[in-house]
Amino acid sequence: MTLTAQDLYNYTKCAHRVYLDAHGDPTEKSEVSSFVKLLWEMGLQKELEHLGTLVGTPIEDLKPLSIEAAAKQTAKLLREGAPLIYQGVIRHDELLGRPDLLVRRDDAPSAFGAWHYEAIDIKAGRGWEMREGSKPKFKRHYALQVMFYRDILTRLQQYAPPQGKILNIDGEIESFDGADFESDYASALAEVQKLVAGRERSEPVLSSGCSQCEWYRRCRQWVETTHDPSGLFFIGKQKFALKAHGLDTIDAIAAMDVSRHLKGPDKIPGMAEKSLQRAKHRAQVMLRGEPDVRPGFSFPDAEEEIYFDIEDDPTQGLVYFFGLVLRNRHGRDDFLYFLADGPAEEENTVRLFWQFLADHPQAVYYVYSAKERSTLRALQRRYGLDPDVLAQYERQEFDLYKFIVDYSDWPTHSYGIKQIARQVGFSWRDRDPSGANSIAWFNDYLKDPTRKELLTRILEYNEDDCRAMIAIKEWFERRR
């Protein structure tokens, strides 16, 4: 049995993926998505860019070597005190790691000599997350990978580096206190060991975040075939608590006596009466195969409606596209857009869009999720834009996703725009529409600006997202 840092990374996203990677049938995997391939490519590019900055630093480049050859050479270099090792391999018992950088430090001795080593991973992102209303947090999936390398190094050199480190997309070293993640890492490693060894089987937990995984189709088929509770919207990992109390299928949830599970030995942790009633109703809707709409809703009365969708690349912290469909009572129906033709054009594009917002203060802006609002807030802070324009926009924003969750239930595991719009009969022009693919198309365009067909694909995809919102709103209006 061999455990890798990738296992720890995957565990933070989905425990069942760790199990399938070790024991699943490879023929059931799907092709790796364009977005995932882009992430791999960006990661390699960041590694090469950083190595190019280390002028004058002796670098032992072990990337061309096989795992076995690199492990043997790394062990030799660690004992000799090499200053910097790129793509070395460190191993202890079943733990096998290949950190991007192994850096010698001379501020504390170790079993190797008057020096010790720390591992630094190169990332196409940032480690510290700043979220409104909460303290900054270091990304768990980054931290557990680095903690894995730290664990191996500690066993080999009999010294624990106090900090974990990554080199982020901006070329900056970001650090976290290793002690803050030791407990989390230990429990995660124990679970990964059981999954890889087959002592724990795990099950799929279907969610909207699964679509980029190579095992997605396999897991979705399993969930649909078994009527697994995670086939219901917003159940997720709560399914394990439901299953522990006999509610192991959608059929059982649809027929459950809610009062039985509110107290006593059959009480389901974390689920109050309202949550259980909602789960029961969603199960019934799923079995009927038809959406259910609750009364009492209305839409704003406005002279102008704007259906608005942003395309951004979180790997670069770049907002590259603002798409809008403008409609009014006089028959206007136009698609407009603002495109940042590369990272250097972002600020100018954002300022032009800000002027658009200022010029349309009374329009109602239909969006699908809180992403547009949070993105605009970040851009306002980044470029010092007029906060009154943002405040006016926020007063006029109407989130269709929140509206759908409040006033309807649907026979699908996800209430994302692709699933709901298709339920009402809308279809996208692109054969494989997704925000992740839009990011991949845009990065391919940046590499070769002559490929104008990629821009056309982004424009059409974004316009279809906007028109999908129109189709959903009109569907509800017919049922008001």
PDB file of all heavy atoms in Angstrom, residues 4-19 21 140-141 144-145 184-196 200 202 237:
ATOM      1  N   THR A   4      -0.111   8.861  -1.050  1.00  0.00           N
ATOM      2  CA  THR A   4       0.524  10.038  -1.634  1.00  0.00           C
ATOM      3  C   THR A   4      -0.162  11.322  -1.166  1.00  0.00           C
ATOM      4  O   THR A   4      -1.275  11.288  -0.629  1.00  0.00           O
ATOM      5  CB  THR A   4       0.471   9.994  -3.173  1.00  0.00           C
ATOM      6  OG1 THR A   4      -0.900  10.164  -3.588  1.00  0.00           O
ATOM      7  CG2 THR A   4       1.017   8.666  -3.704  1.00  0.00           C
ATOM      8  N   ALA A   5       0.494  12.441  -1.434  1.00  0.00           N
ATOM      9  CA  ALA A   5      -0.105  13.732  -1.105  1.00  0.00           C
ATOM     10  C   ALA A   5      -1.384  13.960  -1.894  1.00  0.00           C
ATOM     11  O   ALA A   5      -2.317  14.622  -1.412  1.00  0.00           O
ATOM     12  CB  ALA A   5       0.895  14.853  -1.382  1.00  0.00           C
ATOM     13  N   GLN A   6      -1.468  13.408  -3.100  1.00  0.00           N
ATOM     14  CA  GLN A   6      -2.688  13.539  -3.897  1.00  0.00           C
ATOM     15  C   GLN A   6      -3.860  12.877  -3.200  1.00  0.00           C
ATOM     16  O   GLN A   6      -5.007  13.343  -3.281  1.00  0.00           O
ATOM     17  CB  GLN A   6      -2.489  12.931  -5.286  1.00  0.00           C
ATOM     18  CG  GLN A   6      -3.648  13.170  -6.245  1.00  0.00           C
ATOM     19  CD  GLN A   6      -3.829  14.628  -6.601  1.00  0.00           C
ATOM     20  OE1 GLN A   6      -2.858  15.332  -6.870  1.00  0.00           O
ATOM     21  NE2 GLN A   6      -5.063  15.099  -6.590  1.00  0.00           N
ATOM     22  N   ASP A   7      -3.611  11.781  -2.492  1.00  0.00           N
ATOM     23  CA  ASP A   7      -4.672  11.124  -1.727  1.00  0.00           C
ATOM     24  C   ASP A   7      -5.229  12.063  -0.664  1.00  0.00           C
ATOM     25  O   ASP A   7      -6.443  12.121  -0.440  1.00  0.00           O
ATOM     26  CB  ASP A   7      -4.157   9.845  -1.065  1.00  0.00           C
ATOM     27  CG  ASP A   7      -3.806   8.763  -2.068  1.00  0.00           C
ATOM     28  OD1 ASP A   7      -4.487   8.671  -3.100  1.00  0.00           O
ATOM     29  OD2 ASP A   7      -2.841   8.025  -1.817  1.00  0.00           O
ATOM     30  N   LEU A   8      -4.330  12.791   0.008  1.00  0.00           N
ATOM     31  CA  LEU A   8      -4.787  13.737   1.035  1.00  0.00           C
ATOM     32  C   LEU A   8      -5.581  14.869   0.400  1.00  0.00           C
ATOM     33  O   LEU A   8      -6.614  15.292   0.930  1.00  0.00           O
ATOM     34  CB  LEU A   8      -3.596  14.306   1.807  1.00  0.00           C
ATOM     35  CG  LEU A   8      -3.136  13.572   3.067  1.00  0.00           C
ATOM     36  CD1 LEU A   8      -4.182  13.636   4.157  1.00  0.00           C
ATOM     37  CD2 LEU A   8      -2.752  12.131   2.781  1.00  0.00           C
ATOM     38  N   TYR A   9      -5.119  15.365  -0.749  1.00  0.00           N
ATOM     39  CA  TYR A   9      -5.838  16.428  -1.457  1.00  0.00           C
ATOM     40  C   TYR A   9      -7.231  15.940  -1.848  1.00  0.00           C
ATOM     41  O   TYR A   9      -8.241  16.622  -1.615  1.00  0.00           O
ATOM     42  CB  TYR A   9      -5.057  16.849  -2.691  1.00  0.00           C
ATOM     43  CG  TYR A   9      -5.740  17.918  -3.521  1.00  0.00           C
ATOM     44  CD1 TYR A   9      -5.452  19.255  -3.314  1.00  0.00           C
ATOM     45  CD2 TYR A   9      -6.667  17.584  -4.503  1.00  0.00           C
ATOM     46  CE1 TYR A   9      -6.067  20.245  -4.068  1.00  0.00           C
ATOM     47  CE2 TYR A   9      -7.299  18.558  -5.255  1.00  0.00           C
ATOM     48  CZ  TYR A   9      -7.000  19.893  -5.036  1.00  0.00           C
ATOM     49  OH  TYR A   9      -7.635  20.857  -5.779  1.00  0.00           O
ATOM     50  N   ASN A  10      -7.294  14.757  -2.447  1.00  0.00           N
ATOM     51  CA  ASN A  10      -8.591  14.222  -2.874  1.00  0.00           C
ATOM     52  C   ASN A  10      -9.519  13.986  -1.696  1.00  0.00           C
ATOM     53  O   ASN A  10     -10.733  14.173  -1.795  1.00  0.00           O
ATOM     54  CB  ASN A  10      -8.392  12.924  -3.656  1.00  0.00           C
ATOM     55  CG  ASN A  10      -7.755  13.154  -5.013  1.00  0.00           C
ATOM     56  OD1 ASN A  10      -7.763  14.269  -5.532  1.00  0.00           O
ATOM     57  ND2 ASN A  10      -7.188  12.115  -5.598  1.00  0.00           N
ATOM     58  N   TYR A  11      -8.954  13.574  -0.571  1.00  0.00           N
ATOM     59  CA  TYR A  11      -9.769  13.314   0.617  1.00  0.00           C
ATOM     60  C   TYR A  11     -10.496  14.573   1.068  1.00  0.00           C
ATOM     61  O   TYR A  11     -11.641  14.507   1.527  1.00  0.00           O
ATOM     62  CB  TYR A  11      -8.897  12.777   1.746  1.00  0.00           C
ATOM     63  CG  TYR A  11      -9.653  12.545   3.034  1.00  0.00           C
ATOM     64  CD1 TYR A  11     -10.461  11.419   3.191  1.00  0.00           C
ATOM     65  CD2 TYR A  11      -9.565  13.463   4.083  1.00  0.00           C
ATOM     66  CE1 TYR A  11     -11.164  11.206   4.369  1.00  0.00           C
ATOM     67  CE2 TYR A  11     -10.260  13.250   5.260  1.00  0.00           C
ATOM     68  CZ  TYR A  11     -11.064  12.128   5.393  1.00  0.00           C
ATOM     69  OH  TYR A  11     -11.766  11.927   6.558  1.00  0.00           O
ATOM     70  N   THR A  12      -9.860  15.733   0.950  1.00  0.00           N
ATOM     71  CA  THR A  12     -10.522  16.971   1.367  1.00  0.00           C
ATOM     72  C   THR A  12     -11.712  17.294   0.478  1.00  0.00           C
ATOM     73  O   THR A  12     -12.616  18.022   0.880  1.00  0.00           O
ATOM     74  CB  THR A  12      -9.549  18.170   1.328  1.00  0.00           C
ATOM     75  OG1 THR A  12      -9.149  18.427  -0.025  1.00  0.00           O
ATOM     76  CG2 THR A  12      -8.330  17.917   2.191  1.00  0.00           C
ATOM     77  N   LYS A  13     -11.726  16.751  -0.725  1.00  0.00           N
ATOM     78  CA  LYS A  13     -12.826  16.987  -1.656  1.00  0.00           C
ATOM     79  C   LYS A  13     -13.872  15.879  -1.588  1.00  0.00           C
ATOM     80  O   LYS A  13     -15.076  16.147  -1.600  1.00  0.00           O
ATOM     81  CB  LYS A  13     -12.289  17.090  -3.091  1.00  0.00           C
ATOM     82  CG  LYS A  13     -11.212  18.144  -3.291  1.00  0.00           C
ATOM     83  CD  LYS A  13     -11.740  19.536  -3.031  1.00  0.00           C
ATOM     84  CE  LYS A  13     -10.687  20.590  -3.303  1.00  0.00           C
ATOM     85  NZ  LYS A  13     -11.152  21.961  -3.040  1.00  0.00           N
ATOM     86  N   CYS A  14     -13.409  14.630  -1.529  1.00  0.00           N
ATOM     87  CA  CYS A  14     -14.341  13.497  -1.570  1.00  0.00           C
ATOM     88  C   CYS A  14     -13.623  12.229  -1.115  1.00  0.00           C
ATOM     89  O   CYS A  14     -12.701  11.753  -1.787  1.00  0.00           O
ATOM     90  CB  CYS A  14     -14.868  13.315  -2.994  1.00  0.00           C
ATOM     91  SG  CYS A  14     -15.867  11.831  -3.218  1.00  0.00           S
ATOM     92  N   ALA A  15     -14.057  11.684   0.006  1.00  0.00           N
ATOM     93  CA  ALA A  15     -13.434  10.466   0.527  1.00  0.00           C
ATOM     94  C   ALA A  15     -13.616   9.293  -0.430  1.00  0.00           C
ATOM     95  O   ALA A  15     -12.727   8.439  -0.574  1.00  0.00           O
ATOM     96  CB  ALA A  15     -14.030  10.119   1.891  1.00  0.00           C
ATOM     97  N   HIS A  16     -14.758   9.246  -1.112  1.00  0.00           N
ATOM     98  CA  HIS A  16     -15.019   8.116  -1.995  1.00  0.00           C
ATOM     99  C   HIS A  16     -14.062   8.109  -3.185  1.00  0.00           C
ATOM    100  O   HIS A  16     -13.724   7.040  -3.704  1.00  0.00           O
ATOM    101  CB  HIS A  16     -16.459   8.159  -2.495  1.00  0.00           C
ATOM    102  CG  HIS A  16     -16.894   6.900  -3.183  1.00  0.00           C
ATOM    103  ND1 HIS A  16     -16.836   5.667  -2.583  1.00  0.00           N
ATOM    104  CD2 HIS A  16     -17.370   6.684  -4.435  1.00  0.00           C
ATOM    105  CE1 HIS A  16     -17.278   4.735  -3.414  1.00  0.00           C
ATOM    106  NE2 HIS A  16     -17.584   5.328  -4.545  1.00  0.00           N
ATOM    107  N   ARG A  17     -13.603   9.270  -3.595  1.00  0.00           N
ATOM    108  CA  ARG A  17     -12.645   9.305  -4.702  1.00  0.00           C
ATOM    109  C   ARG A  17     -11.355   8.601  -4.301  1.00  0.00           C
ATOM    110  O   ARG A  17     -10.728   7.922  -5.124  1.00  0.00           O
ATOM    111  CB  ARG A  17     -12.356  10.739  -5.116  1.00  0.00           C
ATOM    112  CG  ARG A  17     -11.329  10.794  -6.232  1.00  0.00           C
ATOM    113  CD  ARG A  17     -11.157  12.159  -6.828  1.00  0.00           C
ATOM    114  NE  ARG A  17     -10.161  12.117  -7.889  1.00  0.00           N
ATOM    115  CZ  ARG A  17      -9.845  13.134  -8.672  1.00  0.00           C
ATOM    116  NH1 ARG A  17     -10.463  14.282  -8.511  1.00  0.00           N
ATOM    117  NH2 ARG A  17      -8.927  13.010  -9.600  1.00  0.00           N
ATOM    118  N   VAL A  18     -10.928   8.773  -3.059  1.00  0.00           N
ATOM    119  CA  VAL A  18      -9.723   8.088  -2.588  1.00  0.00           C
ATOM    120  C   VAL A  18      -9.910   6.580  -2.702  1.00  0.00           C
ATOM    121  O   VAL A  18      -9.010   5.856  -3.154  1.00  0.00           O
ATOM    122  CB  VAL A  18      -9.401   8.493  -1.132  1.00  0.00           C
ATOM    123  CG1 VAL A  18      -8.169   7.745  -0.629  1.00  0.00           C
ATOM    124  CG2 VAL A  18      -9.189  10.002  -1.023  1.00  0.00           C
ATOM    125  N   TYR A  19     -11.083   6.107  -2.300  1.00  0.00           N
ATOM    126  CA  TYR A  19     -11.364   4.667  -2.377  1.00  0.00           C
ATOM    127  C   TYR A  19     -11.364   4.188  -3.833  1.00  0.00           C
ATOM    128  O   TYR A  19     -10.765   3.158  -4.167  1.00  0.00           O
ATOM    129  CB  TYR A  19     -12.707   4.353  -1.721  1.00  0.00           C
ATOM    130  CG  TYR A  19     -13.094   2.899  -1.845  1.00  0.00           C
ATOM    131  CD1 TYR A  19     -12.570   1.956  -0.974  1.00  0.00           C
ATOM    132  CD2 TYR A  19     -13.953   2.474  -2.853  1.00  0.00           C
ATOM    133  CE1 TYR A  19     -12.896   0.610  -1.102  1.00  0.00           C
ATOM    134  CE2 TYR A  19     -14.287   1.135  -2.985  1.00  0.00           C
ATOM    135  CZ  TYR A  19     -13.751   0.206  -2.109  1.00  0.00           C
ATOM    136  OH  TYR A  19     -14.070  -1.124  -2.241  1.00  0.00           O
ATOM    137  N   ASP A  21      -9.940   5.552  -6.484  1.00  0.00           N
ATOM    138  CA  ASP A  21      -8.604   5.605  -7.090  1.00  0.00           C
ATOM    139  C   ASP A  21      -7.789   4.369  -6.730  1.00  0.00           C
ATOM    140  O   ASP A  21      -6.942   3.914  -7.511  1.00  0.00           O
ATOM    141  CB  ASP A  21      -7.868   6.859  -6.628  1.00  0.00           C
ATOM    142  CG  ASP A  21      -8.358   8.117  -7.337  1.00  0.00           C
ATOM    143  OD1 ASP A  21      -9.029   7.992  -8.375  1.00  0.00           O
ATOM    144  OD2 ASP A  21      -8.066   9.224  -6.844  1.00  0.00           O
ATOM    145  N   ARG A 140      -7.538  24.253   3.241  1.00  0.00           N
ATOM    146  CA  ARG A 140      -7.283  22.955   3.853  1.00  0.00           C
ATOM    147  C   ARG A 140      -6.639  21.987   2.868  1.00  0.00           C
ATOM    148  O   ARG A 140      -5.742  21.206   3.240  1.00  0.00           O
ATOM    149  CB  ARG A 140      -8.608  22.371   4.371  1.00  0.00           C
ATOM    150  CG  ARG A 140      -8.471  21.032   5.089  1.00  0.00           C
ATOM    151  CD  ARG A 140      -9.788  20.615   5.716  1.00  0.00           C
ATOM    152  NE  ARG A 140      -9.672  19.369   6.443  1.00  0.00           N
ATOM    153  CZ  ARG A 140     -10.246  18.226   6.067  1.00  0.00           C
ATOM    154  NH1 ARG A 140     -11.003  18.180   4.976  1.00  0.00           N
ATOM    155  NH2 ARG A 140     -10.088  17.134   6.780  1.00  0.00           N
ATOM    156  N   HIS A 141      -7.088  22.006   1.604  1.00  0.00           N
ATOM    157  CA  HIS A 141      -6.536  21.031   0.649  1.00  0.00           C
ATOM    158  C   HIS A 141      -5.072  21.312   0.343  1.00  0.00           C
ATOM    159  O   HIS A 141      -4.313  20.379   0.066  1.00  0.00           O
ATOM    160  CB  HIS A 141      -7.371  20.977  -0.637  1.00  0.00           C
ATOM    161  CG  HIS A 141      -7.606  22.286  -1.306  1.00  0.00           C
ATOM    162  ND1 HIS A 141      -8.482  23.216  -0.817  1.00  0.00           N
ATOM    163  CD2 HIS A 141      -7.080  22.832  -2.428  1.00  0.00           C
ATOM    164  CE1 HIS A 141      -8.503  24.267  -1.614  1.00  0.00           C
ATOM    165  NE2 HIS A 141      -7.661  24.062  -2.594  1.00  0.00           N
ATOM    166  N   LEU A 144      -3.097  20.196   3.905  1.00  0.00           N
ATOM    167  CA  LEU A 144      -2.914  18.771   4.189  1.00  0.00           C
ATOM    168  C   LEU A 144      -1.869  18.141   3.271  1.00  0.00           C
ATOM    169  O   LEU A 144      -1.157  17.213   3.683  1.00  0.00           O
ATOM    170  CB  LEU A 144      -4.243  18.027   4.085  1.00  0.00           C
ATOM    171  CG  LEU A 144      -5.279  18.359   5.164  1.00  0.00           C
ATOM    172  CD1 LEU A 144      -6.408  17.331   5.150  1.00  0.00           C
ATOM    173  CD2 LEU A 144      -4.662  18.444   6.553  1.00  0.00           C
ATOM    174  N   GLN A 145      -1.756  18.625   2.048  1.00  0.00           N
ATOM    175  CA  GLN A 145      -0.681  18.136   1.178  1.00  0.00           C
ATOM    176  C   GLN A 145       0.691  18.478   1.758  1.00  0.00           C
ATOM    177  O   GLN A 145       1.579  17.629   1.839  1.00  0.00           O
ATOM    178  CB  GLN A 145      -0.806  18.767  -0.213  1.00  0.00           C
ATOM    179  CG  GLN A 145      -1.863  18.153  -1.092  1.00  0.00           C
ATOM    180  CD  GLN A 145      -1.801  18.751  -2.490  1.00  0.00           C
ATOM    181  OE1 GLN A 145      -2.078  19.933  -2.679  1.00  0.00           O
ATOM    182  NE2 GLN A 145      -1.429  17.950  -3.461  1.00  0.00           N
ATOM    183  N   ASP A 184      -5.996  17.720  12.507  1.00  0.00           N
ATOM    184  CA  ASP A 184      -6.758  17.491  11.275  1.00  0.00           C
ATOM    185  C   ASP A 184      -6.005  16.542  10.355  1.00  0.00           C
ATOM    186  O   ASP A 184      -6.578  15.593   9.791  1.00  0.00           O
ATOM    187  CB  ASP A 184      -7.013  18.833  10.591  1.00  0.00           C
ATOM    188  CG  ASP A 184      -7.950  18.728   9.387  1.00  0.00           C
ATOM    189  OD1 ASP A 184      -8.521  17.654   9.157  1.00  0.00           O
ATOM    190  OD2 ASP A 184      -8.098  19.742   8.681  1.00  0.00           O
ATOM    191  N   TYR A 185      -4.715  16.775  10.208  1.00  0.00           N
ATOM    192  CA  TYR A 185      -3.911  15.924   9.333  1.00  0.00           C
ATOM    193  C   TYR A 185      -3.883  14.482   9.834  1.00  0.00           C
ATOM    194  O   TYR A 185      -4.045  13.538   9.049  1.00  0.00           O
ATOM    195  CB  TYR A 185      -2.487  16.461   9.228  1.00  0.00           C
ATOM    196  CG  TYR A 185      -1.539  15.473   8.587  1.00  0.00           C
ATOM    197  CD1 TYR A 185      -1.587  15.218   7.219  1.00  0.00           C
ATOM    198  CD2 TYR A 185      -0.616  14.754   9.362  1.00  0.00           C
ATOM    199  CE1 TYR A 185      -0.739  14.294   6.644  1.00  0.00           C
ATOM    200  CE2 TYR A 185       0.239  13.841   8.784  1.00  0.00           C
ATOM    201  CZ  TYR A 185       0.172  13.608   7.419  1.00  0.00           C
ATOM    202  OH  TYR A 185       0.998  12.678   6.848  1.00  0.00           O
ATOM    203  N   ALA A 186      -3.708  14.296  11.135  1.00  0.00           N
ATOM    204  CA  ALA A 186      -3.618  12.940  11.694  1.00  0.00           C
ATOM    205  C   ALA A 186      -4.908  12.160  11.448  1.00  0.00           C
ATOM    206  O   ALA A 186      -4.862  10.979  11.055  1.00  0.00           O
ATOM    207  CB  ALA A 186      -3.312  13.004  13.189  1.00  0.00           C
ATOM    208  N   SER A 187      -6.055  12.792  11.657  1.00  0.00           N
ATOM    209  CA  SER A 187      -7.323  12.089  11.449  1.00  0.00           C
ATOM    210  C   SER A 187      -7.564  11.836   9.963  1.00  0.00           C
ATOM    211  O   SER A 187      -8.062  10.769   9.577  1.00  0.00           O
ATOM    212  CB  SER A 187      -8.476  12.884  12.051  1.00  0.00           C
ATOM    213  OG  SER A 187      -8.585  14.159  11.457  1.00  0.00           O
ATOM    214  N   ALA A 188      -7.187  12.805   9.114  1.00  0.00           N
ATOM    215  CA  ALA A 188      -7.357  12.610   7.671  1.00  0.00           C
ATOM    216  C   ALA A 188      -6.464  11.482   7.166  1.00  0.00           C
ATOM    217  O   ALA A 188      -6.901  10.638   6.372  1.00  0.00           O
ATOM    218  CB  ALA A 188      -7.041  13.910   6.929  1.00  0.00           C
ATOM    219  N   LEU A 189      -5.213  11.437   7.634  1.00  0.00           N
ATOM    220  CA  LEU A 189      -4.301  10.375   7.214  1.00  0.00           C
ATOM    221  C   LEU A 189      -4.817   9.010   7.634  1.00  0.00           C
ATOM    222  O   LEU A 189      -4.754   8.047   6.858  1.00  0.00           O
ATOM    223  CB  LEU A 189      -2.918  10.619   7.802  1.00  0.00           C
ATOM    224  CG  LEU A 189      -1.843   9.585   7.430  1.00  0.00           C
ATOM    225  CD1 LEU A 189      -1.569   9.607   5.933  1.00  0.00           C
ATOM    226  CD2 LEU A 189      -0.556   9.823   8.210  1.00  0.00           C
ATOM    227  N   ALA A 190      -5.369   8.913   8.843  1.00  0.00           N
ATOM    228  CA  ALA A 190      -5.913   7.639   9.313  1.00  0.00           C
ATOM    229  C   ALA A 190      -7.065   7.174   8.427  1.00  0.00           C
ATOM    230  O   ALA A 190      -7.174   5.980   8.097  1.00  0.00           O
ATOM    231  CB  ALA A 190      -6.373   7.776  10.762  1.00  0.00           C
ATOM    232  N   GLU A 191      -7.933   8.111   8.019  1.00  0.00           N
ATOM    233  CA  GLU A 191      -9.048   7.756   7.141  1.00  0.00           C
ATOM    234  C   GLU A 191      -8.555   7.344   5.762  1.00  0.00           C
ATOM    235  O   GLU A 191      -9.047   6.374   5.176  1.00  0.00           O
ATOM    236  CB  GLU A 191     -10.015   8.937   7.026  1.00  0.00           C
ATOM    237  CG  GLU A 191     -10.880   9.165   8.250  1.00  0.00           C
ATOM    238  CD  GLU A 191     -11.783   7.962   8.516  1.00  0.00           C
ATOM    239  OE1 GLU A 191     -12.497   7.531   7.597  1.00  0.00           O
ATOM    240  OE2 GLU A 191     -11.750   7.452   9.654  1.00  0.00           O
ATOM    241  N   VAL A 192      -7.583   8.077   5.247  1.00  0.00           N
ATOM    242  CA  VAL A 192      -7.029   7.739   3.933  1.00  0.00           C
ATOM    243  C   VAL A 192      -6.379   6.356   3.965  1.00  0.00           C
ATOM    244  O   VAL A 192      -6.525   5.567   3.021  1.00  0.00           O
ATOM    245  CB  VAL A 192      -6.019   8.825   3.492  1.00  0.00           C
ATOM    246  CG1 VAL A 192      -5.201   8.347   2.293  1.00  0.00           C
ATOM    247  CG2 VAL A 192      -6.742  10.118   3.158  1.00  0.00           C
ATOM    248  N   GLN A 193      -5.689   6.035   5.039  1.00  0.00           N
ATOM    249  CA  GLN A 193      -5.071   4.716   5.165  1.00  0.00           C
ATOM    250  C   GLN A 193      -6.119   3.610   5.093  1.00  0.00           C
ATOM    251  O   GLN A 193      -5.925   2.599   4.415  1.00  0.00           O
ATOM    252  CB  GLN A 193      -4.285   4.634   6.474  1.00  0.00           C
ATOM    253  CG  GLN A 193      -2.991   5.428   6.468  1.00  0.00           C
ATOM    254  CD  GLN A 193      -2.333   5.499   7.834  1.00  0.00           C
ATOM    255  OE1 GLN A 193      -3.004   5.581   8.860  1.00  0.00           O
ATOM    256  NE2 GLN A 193      -1.000   5.481   7.863  1.00  0.00           N
ATOM    257  N   LYS A 194      -7.242   3.813   5.761  1.00  0.00           N
ATOM    258  CA  LYS A 194      -8.312   2.799   5.746  1.00  0.00           C
ATOM    259  C   LYS A 194      -8.935   2.675   4.356  1.00  0.00           C
ATOM    260  O   LYS A 194      -9.242   1.566   3.900  1.00  0.00           O
ATOM    261  CB  LYS A 194      -9.371   3.147   6.785  1.00  0.00           C
ATOM    262  CG  LYS A 194      -8.924   2.906   8.222  1.00  0.00           C
ATOM    263  CD  LYS A 194     -10.046   3.081   9.217  1.00  0.00           C
ATOM    264  CE  LYS A 194     -10.357   4.521   9.468  1.00  0.00           C
ATOM    265  NZ  LYS A 194     -11.342   4.708  10.575  1.00  0.00           N
ATOM    266  N   LEU A 195      -9.124   3.799   3.686  1.00  0.00           N
ATOM    267  CA  LEU A 195      -9.740   3.768   2.360  1.00  0.00           C
ATOM    268  C   LEU A 195      -8.830   3.096   1.338  1.00  0.00           C
ATOM    269  O   LEU A 195      -9.285   2.259   0.551  1.00  0.00           O
ATOM    270  CB  LEU A 195     -10.065   5.197   1.912  1.00  0.00           C
ATOM    271  CG  LEU A 195     -11.204   5.893   2.660  1.00  0.00           C
ATOM    272  CD1 LEU A 195     -11.183   7.388   2.385  1.00  0.00           C
ATOM    273  CD2 LEU A 195     -12.548   5.311   2.269  1.00  0.00           C
ATOM    274  N   VAL A 196      -7.558   3.452   1.348  1.00  0.00           N
ATOM    275  CA  VAL A 196      -6.622   2.870   0.377  1.00  0.00           C
ATOM    276  C   VAL A 196      -6.404   1.392   0.651  1.00  0.00           C
ATOM    277  O   VAL A 196      -6.291   0.580  -0.275  1.00  0.00           O
ATOM    278  CB  VAL A 196      -5.289   3.647   0.395  1.00  0.00           C
ATOM    279  CG1 VAL A 196      -4.249   2.954  -0.483  1.00  0.00           C
ATOM    280  CG2 VAL A 196      -5.506   5.085  -0.073  1.00  0.00           C
ATOM    281  N   GLU A 200     -12.160   0.399   4.705  1.00  0.00           N
ATOM    282  CA  GLU A 200     -13.365   1.220   4.712  1.00  0.00           C
ATOM    283  C   GLU A 200     -13.750   1.453   3.261  1.00  0.00           C
ATOM    284  O   GLU A 200     -12.929   1.901   2.460  1.00  0.00           O
ATOM    285  CB  GLU A 200     -13.099   2.547   5.429  1.00  0.00           C
ATOM    286  CG  GLU A 200     -14.316   3.396   5.658  1.00  0.00           C
ATOM    287  CD  GLU A 200     -13.998   4.610   6.510  1.00  0.00           C
ATOM    288  OE1 GLU A 200     -13.639   4.426   7.699  1.00  0.00           O
ATOM    289  OE2 GLU A 200     -14.092   5.739   5.995  1.00  0.00           O
ATOM    290  N   SER A 202     -16.550   3.311   1.899  1.00  0.00           N
ATOM    291  CA  SER A 202     -17.067   4.624   1.546  1.00  0.00           C
ATOM    292  C   SER A 202     -18.171   4.506   0.489  1.00  0.00           C
ATOM    293  O   SER A 202     -18.401   3.427  -0.083  1.00  0.00           O
ATOM    294  CB  SER A 202     -15.944   5.544   1.035  1.00  0.00           C
ATOM    295  OG  SER A 202     -16.447   6.814   0.733  1.00  0.00           O
ATOM    296  N   LYS A 237     -23.534  15.054   2.642  1.00  0.00           N
ATOM    297  CA  LYS A 237     -23.028  14.134   3.659  1.00  0.00           C
ATOM    298  C   LYS A 237     -24.039  13.867   4.769  1.00  0.00           C
ATOM    299  O   LYS A 237     -23.856  12.930   5.559  1.00  0.00           O
ATOM    300  CB  LYS A 237     -21.728  14.682   4.253  1.00  0.00           C
ATOM    301  CG  LYS A 237     -20.575  14.700   3.260  1.00  0.00           C
ATOM    302  CD  LYS A 237     -19.296  15.235   3.895  1.00  0.00           C
ATOM    303  CE  LYS A 237     -18.153  15.253   2.899  1.00  0.00           C
ATOM    304  NZ  LYS A 237     -16.899  15.784   3.492  1.00  0.00           N
TER     305      LYS A 237
END
